[in-house]
Protein backbone atom coordinates (compact mmCIF):
# COMPACT_ATOMS: atom_id res chain seq x y z
CA UNK A 1 0.00 0.00 0.00
CA UNK A 2 1.36 3.42 -0.95
CA UNK A 3 2.38 5.79 1.83
CA UNK A 4 2.20 8.82 -0.46
CA UNK A 5 -0.42 11.38 0.49
CA UNK A 6 -2.93 11.98 -2.35
CA UNK A 7 -2.98 15.31 -4.14
CA UNK A 8 -5.43 17.92 -2.89
CA UNK A 9 -6.33 19.85 -6.00
CA UNK A 10 -9.50 21.46 -7.28
CA UNK A 11 -12.18 19.24 -8.84
CA UNK A 12 -11.91 21.19 -12.11
CA UNK A 13 -10.10 24.16 -13.66
CA UNK A 14 -11.27 27.19 -15.63
CA UNK A 15 -9.96 30.25 -17.43
CA UNK A 16 -10.58 33.11 -15.00
CA UNK A 17 -9.24 36.07 -16.96
CA UNK A 18 -7.61 37.02 -20.24
CA UNK A 19 -5.33 39.85 -21.37
CA UNK A 20 -3.49 40.86 -24.50
CA UNK A 21 -0.81 43.22 -25.73
CA UNK A 22 -0.23 44.35 -29.31
CA UNK A 23 2.83 46.46 -30.17
CA UNK A 24 2.15 50.10 -30.94
CA UNK A 25 3.54 49.97 -34.49
CA UNK A 26 0.94 48.96 -37.06
CA UNK A 27 2.44 47.66 -40.31
CA UNK A 28 0.22 47.70 -43.43
CA UNK A 29 0.79 45.48 -46.45
CA UNK A 30 2.33 48.42 -48.29
CA UNK A 31 5.42 48.15 -46.07
CA UNK A 32 5.79 44.45 -46.89
CA UNK A 33 5.58 45.24 -50.60
CA UNK A 34 8.76 47.29 -50.33
CA UNK A 35 10.81 44.07 -50.20
CA UNK A 36 8.78 41.48 -52.14
CA UNK A 37 7.25 41.40 -55.61
CA UNK A 38 3.57 41.12 -54.78
CA UNK A 39 0.44 43.22 -54.26
CA UNK A 40 -1.94 44.19 -51.49
CA UNK A 41 -4.71 42.28 -53.26
CA UNK A 42 -2.57 39.11 -53.46
CA UNK A 43 -1.67 39.23 -49.76
CA UNK A 44 -5.28 39.77 -48.74
CA UNK A 45 -6.58 37.00 -50.99
CA UNK A 46 -3.91 34.51 -49.88
CA UNK A 47 -3.97 35.20 -46.15
CA UNK A 48 -6.67 37.69 -45.22
CA UNK A 49 -4.04 39.93 -43.62
CA UNK A 50 -4.35 43.70 -44.00
CA UNK A 51 -2.10 44.87 -41.15
CA UNK A 52 0.08 43.39 -38.44
CA UNK A 53 1.90 44.72 -35.36
CA UNK A 54 5.70 44.75 -35.08
CA UNK A 55 7.51 45.30 -31.82
CA UNK A 56 9.99 48.06 -31.10
CA UNK A 57 13.29 47.44 -29.33
CA UNK A 58 11.61 48.20 -26.02
CA UNK A 59 8.72 45.81 -26.67
CA UNK A 60 10.65 42.67 -25.78
CA UNK A 61 9.17 39.23 -25.28
CA UNK A 62 9.27 39.83 -21.52
CA UNK A 63 7.89 43.39 -21.70
CA UNK A 64 4.92 42.39 -23.87
CA UNK A 65 4.23 39.41 -21.61
CA UNK A 66 4.22 41.58 -18.49
CA UNK A 67 1.62 43.89 -20.07
CA UNK A 68 -0.63 41.00 -21.13
CA UNK A 69 -0.21 39.27 -17.77
CA UNK A 70 -1.20 42.38 -15.85
CA UNK A 71 -4.45 42.63 -17.81
CA UNK A 72 -5.21 38.94 -17.33
CA UNK A 73 -4.62 39.14 -13.58
CA UNK A 74 -6.88 42.20 -13.29
CA UNK A 75 -9.55 40.45 -15.35
CA UNK A 76 -9.32 37.39 -13.09
CA UNK A 77 -9.49 39.50 -9.94
CA UNK A 78 -6.31 38.14 -8.37
CA UNK A 79 -2.89 39.58 -7.61
CA UNK A 80 0.49 38.47 -8.92
CA UNK A 81 1.41 37.33 -5.40
CA UNK A 82 -1.29 34.65 -5.69
CA UNK A 83 0.21 33.12 -8.84
CA UNK A 84 1.74 29.69 -8.25
CA UNK A 85 2.90 28.97 -11.79
CA UNK A 86 3.97 30.85 -14.91
CA UNK A 87 4.04 28.97 -18.23
CA UNK A 88 5.32 30.82 -21.30
CA UNK A 89 5.05 29.46 -24.83
CA UNK A 90 7.38 31.14 -27.32
CA UNK A 91 9.82 30.38 -30.11
CA UNK A 92 11.22 33.91 -30.33
CA UNK A 93 13.00 34.39 -27.01
CA UNK A 94 16.61 34.22 -28.12
CA UNK A 95 18.19 33.35 -24.78
CA UNK A 96 18.42 29.58 -24.50
CA UNK A 97 18.53 29.94 -20.72
CA UNK A 98 17.23 31.05 -18.28
CA UNK A 99 13.57 30.69 -19.17
CA UNK A 100 11.91 34.04 -19.87
CA UNK A 101 9.08 32.85 -17.60
CA UNK A 102 11.33 33.45 -14.59
CA UNK A 103 11.99 37.04 -15.66
CA UNK A 104 8.29 37.66 -16.24
CA UNK A 105 7.37 36.16 -12.87
CA UNK A 106 9.80 38.49 -11.14
CA UNK A 107 8.66 41.58 -13.05
CA UNK A 108 4.98 41.09 -12.27
CA UNK A 109 5.74 40.58 -8.57
CA UNK A 110 4.91 36.89 -8.24
CA UNK A 111 6.09 35.10 -5.11
CA UNK A 112 8.53 32.36 -6.20
CA UNK A 113 6.14 30.51 -8.56
CA UNK A 114 7.07 27.54 -10.71
CA UNK A 115 8.16 29.16 -13.98
CA UNK A 116 9.16 27.57 -17.27
CA UNK A 117 9.04 27.99 -21.04
CA UNK A 118 7.66 25.57 -23.61
CA UNK A 119 8.31 25.38 -27.33
CA UNK A 120 5.27 24.11 -29.18
CA UNK A 121 4.96 26.66 -31.96
CA UNK A 122 1.45 27.76 -32.85
CA UNK A 123 -0.04 25.04 -30.63
CA UNK A 124 1.85 26.39 -27.63
CA UNK A 125 -1.10 28.09 -25.97
CA UNK A 126 -3.10 24.85 -26.01
CA UNK A 127 -0.15 22.96 -24.56
CA UNK A 128 0.30 25.54 -21.82
CA UNK A 129 -3.41 25.59 -21.02
CA UNK A 130 -3.44 21.81 -20.65
CA UNK A 131 -0.41 21.84 -18.35
CA UNK A 132 -1.96 24.60 -16.23
CA UNK A 133 -5.22 22.68 -15.92
CA UNK A 134 -3.27 19.65 -14.73
CA UNK A 135 -1.40 21.70 -12.13
CA UNK A 136 -4.62 23.14 -10.70
CA UNK A 137 -6.50 19.84 -10.62
CA UNK A 138 -3.46 17.92 -9.31
CA UNK A 139 -2.97 20.46 -6.54
CA UNK A 140 0.54 21.75 -7.22
CA UNK A 141 -0.87 25.20 -8.01
CA UNK A 142 -4.04 27.17 -7.40
CA UNK A 143 -3.54 29.91 -9.98
CA UNK A 144 -1.41 29.53 -13.10
CA UNK A 145 -0.56 32.24 -15.60
CA UNK A 146 -0.34 30.95 -19.18
CA UNK A 147 1.30 33.28 -21.71
CA UNK A 148 1.71 32.95 -25.46
CA UNK A 149 4.15 35.54 -26.78
CA UNK A 150 6.10 36.09 -29.99
CA UNK A 151 8.34 38.60 -31.73
CA UNK A 152 8.15 36.86 -35.08
CA UNK A 153 9.30 39.99 -36.87
CA UNK A 154 12.75 38.98 -35.61
CA UNK A 155 12.42 35.68 -37.47
CA UNK A 156 10.88 36.97 -40.68
CA UNK A 157 12.77 37.03 -43.98
CA UNK A 158 11.35 40.15 -45.58
CA UNK A 159 12.55 38.97 -49.00
CA UNK A 160 10.72 35.63 -48.79
CA UNK A 161 7.58 36.13 -50.87
CA UNK A 162 5.90 33.12 -49.24
CA UNK A 163 6.21 34.26 -45.62
CA UNK A 164 7.21 37.96 -45.44
CA UNK A 165 3.60 39.09 -45.04
CA UNK A 166 2.47 36.46 -42.54
CA UNK A 167 3.94 37.17 -39.15
CA UNK A 168 3.21 39.64 -36.39
CA UNK A 169 4.19 40.27 -32.79
CA UNK A 170 2.23 40.29 -29.55
CA UNK A 171 1.41 38.59 -26.26
CA UNK A 172 -1.73 36.97 -24.89
CA UNK A 173 -2.24 35.65 -21.38
CA UNK A 174 -4.85 33.81 -19.33
CA UNK A 175 -5.18 32.94 -15.66
CA UNK A 176 -6.20 29.35 -14.96
CA UNK A 177 -7.69 28.59 -11.55
CA UNK A 178 -10.03 26.25 -9.67
CA UNK A 179 -13.62 25.55 -10.71
CA UNK A 180 -16.58 23.64 -9.29
CA UNK A 181 -17.70 22.36 -12.69
CA UNK A 182 -15.91 21.42 -15.94
CA UNK A 183 -14.76 24.54 -17.84
CA UNK A 184 -11.72 23.24 -19.73
CA UNK A 185 -12.45 20.07 -21.66
CA UNK A 186 -10.18 17.14 -22.48
CA UNK A 187 -7.34 18.11 -24.80
CA UNK A 188 -6.82 16.37 -28.11
CA UNK A 189 -3.16 16.92 -28.90
CA UNK A 190 -0.30 15.31 -30.72
CA UNK A 191 2.45 15.68 -33.30
CA UNK A 192 3.40 14.51 -36.77
CA UNK A 193 7.16 14.70 -36.75
CA UNK A 194 7.44 13.19 -40.22
CA UNK A 195 6.17 16.57 -41.49
CA UNK A 196 8.50 18.69 -39.37
CA UNK A 197 10.35 20.04 -42.40
CA UNK A 198 7.24 21.84 -43.67
CA UNK A 199 7.65 24.66 -41.10
CA UNK A 200 11.12 25.27 -39.75
CA UNK A 201 13.88 27.68 -38.88
CA UNK A 202 16.17 28.09 -41.87
CA UNK A 203 19.46 27.49 -40.04
CA UNK A 204 20.23 26.43 -36.44
CA UNK A 205 21.74 28.86 -33.95
CA UNK A 206 24.81 26.64 -33.77
CA UNK A 207 25.79 27.86 -37.24
CA UNK A 208 26.67 31.16 -35.59
CA UNK A 209 29.66 29.62 -33.87
CA UNK A 210 31.36 30.61 -37.12
CA UNK A 211 29.29 33.65 -38.00
CA UNK A 212 31.14 34.32 -41.23
CA UNK A 213 29.73 31.13 -42.75
CA UNK A 214 26.12 32.25 -42.41
CA UNK A 215 24.72 34.59 -45.03
CA UNK A 216 21.44 35.45 -43.32
CA UNK A 217 20.02 35.57 -39.83
CA UNK A 218 17.72 32.58 -39.18
CA UNK A 219 14.12 32.96 -40.30
CA UNK A 220 10.97 30.87 -40.34
CA UNK A 221 10.22 29.19 -43.64
CA UNK A 222 7.39 26.89 -44.65
CA UNK A 223 5.99 24.82 -47.49
CA UNK A 224 2.76 26.75 -47.82
CA UNK A 225 0.64 24.33 -49.84
CA UNK A 226 1.60 21.31 -47.72
CA UNK A 227 0.83 23.19 -44.51
CA UNK A 228 -2.47 24.45 -45.92
CA UNK A 229 -3.65 20.96 -46.91
CA UNK A 230 -2.63 19.51 -43.55
CA UNK A 231 -4.33 22.26 -41.57
CA UNK A 232 -7.56 22.18 -43.54
CA UNK A 233 -8.07 18.43 -43.69
CA UNK A 234 -6.33 17.04 -40.61
CA UNK A 235 -7.04 19.82 -38.09
CA UNK A 236 -10.76 19.79 -38.81
CA UNK A 237 -10.68 16.16 -37.69
CA UNK A 238 -8.82 17.11 -34.50
CA UNK A 239 -11.32 19.89 -33.81
CA UNK A 240 -14.18 17.41 -34.18
CA UNK A 241 -12.41 15.02 -31.81
CA UNK A 242 -12.20 17.81 -29.22
CA UNK A 243 -15.93 18.41 -29.53
CA UNK A 244 -16.57 14.69 -29.11
CA UNK A 245 -14.25 14.50 -26.09
CA UNK A 246 -16.13 17.38 -24.46
CA UNK A 247 -19.44 15.63 -25.14
CA UNK A 248 -20.90 18.41 -27.27
CA UNK A 249 -21.73 19.06 -30.92
CA UNK A 250 -21.10 22.03 -33.18
CA UNK A 251 -24.63 23.21 -32.40
CA UNK A 252 -23.66 23.61 -28.74
CA UNK A 253 -20.82 26.00 -29.56
CA UNK A 254 -20.99 29.76 -29.18
CA UNK A 255 -17.49 30.63 -30.36
CA UNK A 256 -14.73 29.13 -32.53
CA UNK A 257 -11.18 30.39 -31.87
CA UNK A 258 -8.68 28.69 -34.18
CA UNK A 259 -5.02 29.61 -34.44
CA UNK A 260 -4.85 32.70 -36.64
CA UNK A 261 -2.67 31.19 -39.35
CA UNK A 262 -4.53 32.11 -42.51
CA UNK A 263 -8.05 33.35 -43.23
CA UNK A 264 -8.57 30.69 -45.92
CA UNK A 265 -7.67 27.95 -43.44
CA UNK A 266 -10.12 29.38 -40.90
CA UNK A 267 -12.94 29.59 -43.45
CA UNK A 268 -12.24 26.07 -44.71
CA UNK A 269 -12.34 24.65 -41.17
CA UNK A 270 -15.65 26.40 -40.49
CA UNK A 271 -17.08 24.78 -43.62
CA UNK A 272 -15.68 21.32 -42.90
CA UNK A 273 -16.94 21.39 -39.30
CA UNK A 274 -20.33 22.62 -40.54
CA UNK A 275 -20.47 25.27 -37.84
CA UNK A 276 -23.91 26.89 -37.51
CA UNK A 277 -24.32 30.55 -38.37
CA UNK A 278 -24.79 31.49 -34.71
CA UNK A 279 -21.18 30.50 -33.91
CA UNK A 280 -18.88 33.52 -33.67
CA UNK A 281 -15.61 32.87 -35.50
CA UNK A 282 -12.38 34.64 -34.54
CA UNK A 283 -10.77 36.34 -37.54
CA UNK A 284 -8.22 38.43 -35.68
CA UNK A 285 -5.59 37.60 -38.31
CA UNK A 286 -6.89 40.46 -40.50
CA UNK A 287 -5.31 43.13 -38.29
CA UNK A 288 -2.88 41.12 -36.16
CA UNK A 289 -1.24 38.65 -38.55
CA UNK A 290 0.03 35.25 -37.48
CA UNK A 291 1.42 35.58 -33.95
CA UNK A 292 1.95 31.85 -33.37
CA UNK A 293 1.55 30.98 -29.67
CA UNK A 294 -0.02 34.38 -28.94
CA UNK A 295 -2.77 34.17 -31.56
CA UNK A 296 -5.48 32.30 -29.63
CA UNK A 297 -5.38 34.34 -26.41
CA UNK A 298 -5.11 37.57 -28.42
CA UNK A 299 -8.15 36.59 -30.49
CA UNK A 300 -10.03 35.53 -27.35
CA UNK A 301 -9.27 38.84 -25.65
CA UNK A 302 -10.47 40.86 -28.64
CA UNK A 303 -13.72 38.90 -29.00
CA UNK A 304 -14.56 39.52 -25.34
CA UNK A 305 -13.47 43.17 -25.42
CA UNK A 306 -15.59 43.95 -28.48
CA UNK A 307 -18.65 42.06 -27.25
CA UNK A 308 -18.54 39.52 -30.06
CA UNK A 309 -18.23 36.88 -27.34
CA UNK A 310 -19.34 36.99 -23.72
CA UNK A 311 -18.49 35.45 -20.38
CA UNK A 312 -19.83 31.92 -20.09
CA UNK A 313 -19.78 31.22 -23.82
CA UNK A 314 -18.65 27.76 -24.92
CA UNK A 315 -15.65 28.02 -27.23
CA UNK A 316 -13.65 25.55 -29.29
CA UNK A 317 -9.97 26.47 -29.47
CA UNK A 318 -7.38 24.79 -31.67
CA UNK A 319 -3.73 25.55 -32.33
CA UNK A 320 -1.50 23.92 -34.93
CA UNK A 321 1.91 24.59 -36.40
CA UNK A 322 5.62 23.79 -36.55
CA UNK A 323 6.50 20.28 -35.58
CA UNK A 324 3.91 19.58 -36.81
CA UNK A 325 2.06 19.83 -33.49
CA UNK A 326 -1.54 20.49 -32.54
CA UNK A 327 -3.83 20.92 -29.54
CA UNK A 328 -7.59 21.42 -29.34
CA UNK A 329 -10.03 21.73 -26.46
CA UNK A 330 -13.39 23.19 -25.53
CA UNK A 331 -13.44 25.92 -22.87
CA UNK A 332 -15.88 28.18 -21.09
CA UNK A 333 -14.88 31.80 -21.69
CA UNK A 334 -14.07 33.89 -18.60
Amino acid sequence: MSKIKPSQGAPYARIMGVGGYRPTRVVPNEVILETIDSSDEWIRSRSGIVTRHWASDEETVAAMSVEAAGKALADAGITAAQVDGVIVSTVSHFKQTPAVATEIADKIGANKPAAFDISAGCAGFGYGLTLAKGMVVEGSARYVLVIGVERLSDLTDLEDRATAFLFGDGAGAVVVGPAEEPAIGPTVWGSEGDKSETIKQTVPWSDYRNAGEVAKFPAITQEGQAVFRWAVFEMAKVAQQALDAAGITADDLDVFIPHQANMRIIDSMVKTLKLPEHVTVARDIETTGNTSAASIPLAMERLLATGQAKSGDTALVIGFGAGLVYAATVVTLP
Side-chain angles (χ1 to χ4, degrees):
M1 181 175 179
S2 174
K3 297 179 180 179
I4 299 173
K5 182 180 178 181
S7 299
Q8 300 293 321
Y12 305 103
R14 65 187 176 106
I15 298 176
M16 300 175 58
V18 59
Y21 180 81
R22 292 171 173 81
T24 55
R25 183 187 177 193
V26 178
V27 180
N29 288 339
E30 286 73 14
V31 172
I32 307 299
L33 297 176
E34 294 173 3
T35 52
I36 61 171
D37 180 17
S38 187
S39 68
D40 177 61
E41 180 183 3
W42 187 88
I43 293 174
R44 293 185 188 218
S45 64
R46 296 283 293 182
S47 67
I49 299 172
V50 178
T51 61
R52 73 284 290 147
H53 295 256
W54 283 355
S56 66
D57 290 344
E58 292 74 27
E59 292 168 317
T60 63
V61 165
M64 292 190 293
S65 297
V66 168
E67 292 293 329
K71 294 176 182 178
L73 290 169
D75 193 42
I78 69 167
T79 67
Q82 294 174 274
V83 172
D84 304 305
V86 178
I87 303 172
V88 177
S89 178
T90 185
V91 299
S92 48
H93 176 58
F94 291 164
K95 287 184 179 179
Q96 200 72 31
T97 191
V100 73
T102 59
E103 178 183 351
I104 295 164
D106 177 63
K107 287 185 174 179
I108 65 173
N111 184 24
K112 300 180 181 179
F116 57 95
D117 298 351
I118 59 174
S119 177
C122 305
F125 175 74
Y127 275 54
L129 184 65
T130 302
L131 293 172
K133 171 189 173 183
M135 292 164 68
V136 171
V137 172
E138 184 270 339
S140 60
R142 183 168 177 81
Y143 302 113
V144 181
L145 188 62
V146 180
I147 301 170
V149 57
E150 302 292 1
R151 273 181 55 118
L152 294 181
S153 58
D154 290 335
L155 289 168
T156 298
D157 181 354
L158 294 178
E159 296 178 348
D160 180 358
R161 189 172 184 271
T163 60
F165 58 89
L166 281 176
F167 302 119
D169 303 336
V174 299
V175 174
V176 177
E180 293 301 318
E181 58 184 18
I184 302 176
T187 300
V188 177
W189 57 354
S191 64
E192 297 185 34
D194 60 312
K195 301 179 181 66
S196 62
E197 290 295 300
T198 57
I199 306 175
K200 63 181 181 181
Q201 183 173 306
T202 50
V203 295
W205 300 114
S206 57
D207 282 11
Y208 276 80
R209 289 183 183 276
N210 299 303
E213 298 178 6
V214 180
K216 277 189 173 183
F217 193 74
I220 297 173
T221 184
Q222 68 176 27
E223 298 173 15
Q225 287 301 315
V227 173
F228 181 87
R229 288 193 298 269
W230 175 78
V232 168
F233 296 108
E234 298 303 321
M235 291 306 97
K237 298 175 186 177
V238 171
Q240 183 60 55
Q241 290 170 15
L243 291 175
D244 296 341
I248 67 172
T249 68
D251 288 336
D252 298 315
L253 279 180
D254 300 302
V255 185
F256 179 43
I257 312 177
H259 163 50
Q260 302 295 291
N262 181 298
M263 193 74 80
R264 292 193 302 153
I265 291 175
I266 294 171
D267 291 340
S268 294
M269 291 182 71
V270 168
K271 184 177 180 180
T272 302
L273 288 167
K274 299 179 181 178
L275 296 185
E277 288 188 6
H278 75 261
V279 176
T280 297
V281 179
R283 291 187 171 88
D284 192 45
I285 188 170
E286 181 178 8
T287 56
T288 305
N290 180 339
T291 56
S292 189
S295 79
I296 290 176
L298 278 174
M300 182 185 295
E301 185 257 357
R302 176 161 281 173
L303 288 175
L304 289 167
T306 58
Q308 296 176 71
K310 63 183 186 299
S311 175
D313 278 354
T314 300
L316 169 63
V317 299
I318 179 170
F320 46 86
L324 294 169
V325 295
Y326 55 87
T329 188
V330 175
V331 303
T332 300
L333 295 183

